[in-house]
Amino acid sequence: MNRLKDKVAIVTGSTSGIGIGIAKLYAAEGAKVVICGRRAEKGQAVVDEIVKAGGEASYHFMDITDPSSIEALMADTVEKYGKIDILVNNAANVALKDGRVDELTIEMWDAIFQSDMRGTFYTTKCALPYMQKNNGGSIVNIGSMASCAGDLGSTAYACAKAGVDMLTQSVALQYGKSNIRCNCVRPGLIVTPQNEAHVPQALKDIFLSNIMVNRYGCPEDIGYLCVYLGSDESTYVTGQIMTVDGGLNSHTTTVAQFRAMASRTW
């Protein structure tokens, strides 16, 4: 349980969902974890849970759309803990309205890119000088399976997350010689305590009929991979885009239909 011992990790958007799962596993593995987001009460509750379990964590306000709050997060983390070893770019606004190209306004498009693409870029940009001074670090971007292929909706979200994929590879290439690694984890359907009541059963059924395993994902499924990518076990792994989706994107698109027919072919 010491895979991240003595490492300092920032997990953005860790006041709910996947971010909480990552933060708790990081703390359990010995990291000092900075919980950050806009909701101080929820953030402090996560800190309290971690501390109660024997880990070390603190809360810092951060608004992913506000560059000054991102700058303050980095500076205050280094002032408190002396360094930044791991940055998990998890914060994103998935609640913004999205849709088809003809339905989207410029304002919708810009709002999604501001939180999901620009926020990831600027958080990374602000962390890099501290990691360079520390002679290395690991950046883990949380992408989305939405960037794997076209869809009927969520156009801006998918495009923003595709940008995160490319940003991952650019950072890995440009800063690898500084011992800074950058990888991306693309979750499939992840059901969390916060979103479970809002995920329609029909959506769950669609995913279960297409994935290879017998369940949809949970935050820990993403967290375990993030632990590996943040640890020294993965020092030869960089520039990778890893999809954790129960195998959803690794088969032909007709599998669900043939399953329903109890057939293996036409």
Side-chain angles (χ1 to χ4, degrees), residues 1-11 23 25-34 55-58 77 80-88 131 134-140 179 181 226-235:
M1 301 297 288
N2 289 303
R3 297 165 72 190
L4 302 177
K5 183 176 172 57
D6 298 325
K7 292 188 182 293
V8 176
I10 295 173
V11 182
L25 285 174
Y26 270 29
E29 291 290 350
K32 300 175 179 67
V33 184
V34 179
E56 184 172 350
S58 59
T77 296
K80 182 177 180 65
Y81 294 114
K83 59 177 181 172
I84 300 170
D85 296 297
I86 306 167
L87 168 65
V88 180
M131 288 186 171
N134 193 39
N135 194 34
S138 176
I139 299 170
V140 182
N179 200 33
R181 296 177 291 111
C226 289
V227 167
Y228 168 71
L229 293 174
S231 75
D232 292 339
E233 299 165 11
S234 60
T235 53

Side-chain angles (χ1 to χ4, degrees), residues 58-90:
S58 59
Y59 169 77
H60 196 290
F61 173 84
M62 187 204 72
D63 180 349
I64 195 65
T65 66
D66 179 8
S68 64
S69 77
I70 295 172
E71 294 162 7
L73 168 67
M74 301 299 165
D76 292 348
T77 296
V78 172
E79 182 177 353
K80 182 177 180 65
Y81 294 114
K83 59 177 181 172
I84 300 170
D85 296 297
I86 306 167
L87 168 65
V88 180
N89 282 313
N90 171 68

Side-chain angles (χ1 to χ4, degrees), residues 140-168:
V140 182
N141 294 326
I142 304 301
S144 172
M145 66 164 195
S147 68
C148 295
D151 198 4
L152 295 173
S154 300
T155 307
Y157 176 74
C159 289
K161 287 300 187 180
V164 171
D165 293 349
M166 186 52 64
L167 176 65
T168 297

